[in-house]
Amino acid sequence: MHTGKGQVLELILESGLRHAQISCPADLVPSPGQYLLAGIASPSDPLPVPLFSTESKPGGFIASAPIPDFWTPGTIITLRGPLGRGFDLPGSARKLALIPFDVSPARLRSLIQPALKQGAAVVLVSDSDGERLHDEVEVQPFSVLEDVLAWADYIAFDVLRERLPELRERLGGKNQVSVKGDAQVLVYTPVPCGGIAECGVCAVVTKSSWKLACKDGPVFDLGEL
């Protein structure tokens, strides 16, 4: 884990959501699924906010929404991280499915560059318009979810913590589809302490007990959930 300064270079509006290009030292760029805690030490910014990468850039990365309303180009931010457990894309994966469950695909897009680099085919399962996607990424609607689950040898989900029960129901027992590969889930939830206080705000119920998304996650193996 590192601490340092970053700067907001540009705000990017996409499907009504504000993303931001951040410049920062290379050791602060989060890997797919990991996050940074960022703030400006201002009375209007009482708690740091988690920043997830949606795309790596020279000298920094693009942070996915939500971005605080009062951040503007030129804002200097304090960063701590990278934090938590990210996605573990197998080097052998050749068929990657990205499945944002009723959320923006932005946090999963950080997997596209490394997947294409290792020669994998990438399918995004989403009913959205698929903005800012690489030309080689195929977009399929949720109506073909079962077919994509059977095709992929690595599956990455993104889901709000409160929607986990609905995701389990939607899969309908298909979590065994990962037998020939791997499936992981980014559980998006507040992580105010970044693993320092173990405050329990980000607790995620698993099959065996519960875990803290701030340090045990936010990415979990599908079989754990």
Side-chain angles (χ1 to χ4, degrees), residues 108-200:
L108 294 180
R109 285 205 306 251
S110 59
L111 284 163
I112 293 175
Q113 288 178 339
L116 293 177
K117 187 176 181 180
Q118 66 186 43
V122 182
V123 172
L124 171 68
V125 180
S126 174
D127 292 328
S128 68
D129 53 14
E131 290 184 52
R132 289 170 45 81
L133 288 176
H134 195 284
D135 290 342
E136 295 183 42
V137 176
E138 181 181 353
V139 180
Q140 292 288 346
F142 262 97
S143 60
V144 300
L145 175 62
E146 186 171 351
D147 291 338
V148 173
L149 291 176
W151 166 83
D153 57 21
Y154 180 77
I155 305 164
F157 295 91
D158 188 351
V159 63
L160 301 175
R161 178 177 56 175
E162 57 268 29
R163 303 294 300 275
L164 263 176
E166 294 174 56
L167 176 60
R168 294 187 187 107
E169 182 178 355
R170 182 65 182 268
L171 290 175
K174 298 184 183 69
N175 49 351
Q176 295 305 311
V177 75
S178 61
V179 167
K180 67 174 183 177
D182 298 292
Q184 295 184 303
V185 184
L186 192 163
V187 180
Y188 187 71
T189 183
V191 285
C193 77
I196 290 179
E198 298 190 4
C199 61

Side-chain angles (χ1 to χ4, degrees), residues 6-221:
Q7 184 176 29
V8 179
L9 297 182
E10 179 185 4
L11 294 174
I12 302 165
L13 188 64
E14 179 183 315
S15 301
L17 301 175
R18 280 165 37 107
H19 307 277
Q21 184 169 347
I22 306 294
S23 68
C24 67
D27 58 9
L28 280 167
V29 176
S31 66
Q34 286 190 305
Y35 66 98
L36 300 175
L37 282 185
I40 62 173
S42 163
S44 61
D45 185 27
L47 288 175
V49 296
L51 297 181
F52 290 82
S53 173
T54 184
E55 182 181 348
S56 295
K57 289 287 187 180
F61 66 102
I62 295 179
S64 67
I67 299 297
D69 292 340
F70 50 88
W71 287 15
T72 59
T75 298
I76 302 298
I77 53 179
T78 299
L79 302 171
R80 178 167 69 88
L83 300 167
R85 177 193 181 197
F87 288 105
D88 184 16
L89 176 64
S92 60
R94 292 297 178 267
K95 300 175 181 179
L96 171 64
L98 306 178
I99 306 176
F101 189 72
D102 267 357
V103 293
S104 163
R107 288 183 291 271
L108 294 180
R109 285 205 306 251
S110 59
L111 284 163
I112 293 175
Q113 288 178 339
L116 293 177
K117 187 176 181 180
Q118 66 186 43
V122 182
V123 172
L124 171 68
V125 180
S126 174
D127 292 328
S128 68
D129 53 14
E131 290 184 52
R132 289 170 45 81
L133 288 176
H134 195 284
D135 290 342
E136 295 183 42
V137 176
E138 181 181 353
V139 180
Q140 292 288 346
F142 262 97
S143 60
V144 300
L145 175 62
E146 186 171 351
D147 291 338
V148 173
L149 291 176
W151 166 83
D153 57 21
Y154 180 77
I155 305 164
F157 295 91
D158 188 351
V159 63
L160 301 175
R161 178 177 56 175
E162 57 268 29
R163 303 294 300 275
L164 263 176
E166 294 174 56
L167 176 60
R168 294 187 187 107
E169 182 178 355
R170 182 65 182 268
L171 290 175
K174 298 184 183 69
N175 49 351
Q176 295 305 311
V177 75
S178 61
V179 167
K180 67 174 183 177
D182 298 292
Q184 295 184 303
V185 184
L186 192 163
V187 180
Y188 187 71
T189 183
V191 285
C193 77
I196 290 179
E198 298 190 4
C199 61
V201 169
C202 65
V204 174
V205 177
T206 67
K207 285 183 177 179
S208 58
S209 57
W210 58 270
K211 293 187 176 181
L212 298 176
C214 64
K215 63 176 187 177
D216 301 317
V219 175
F220 297 89
D221 292 336

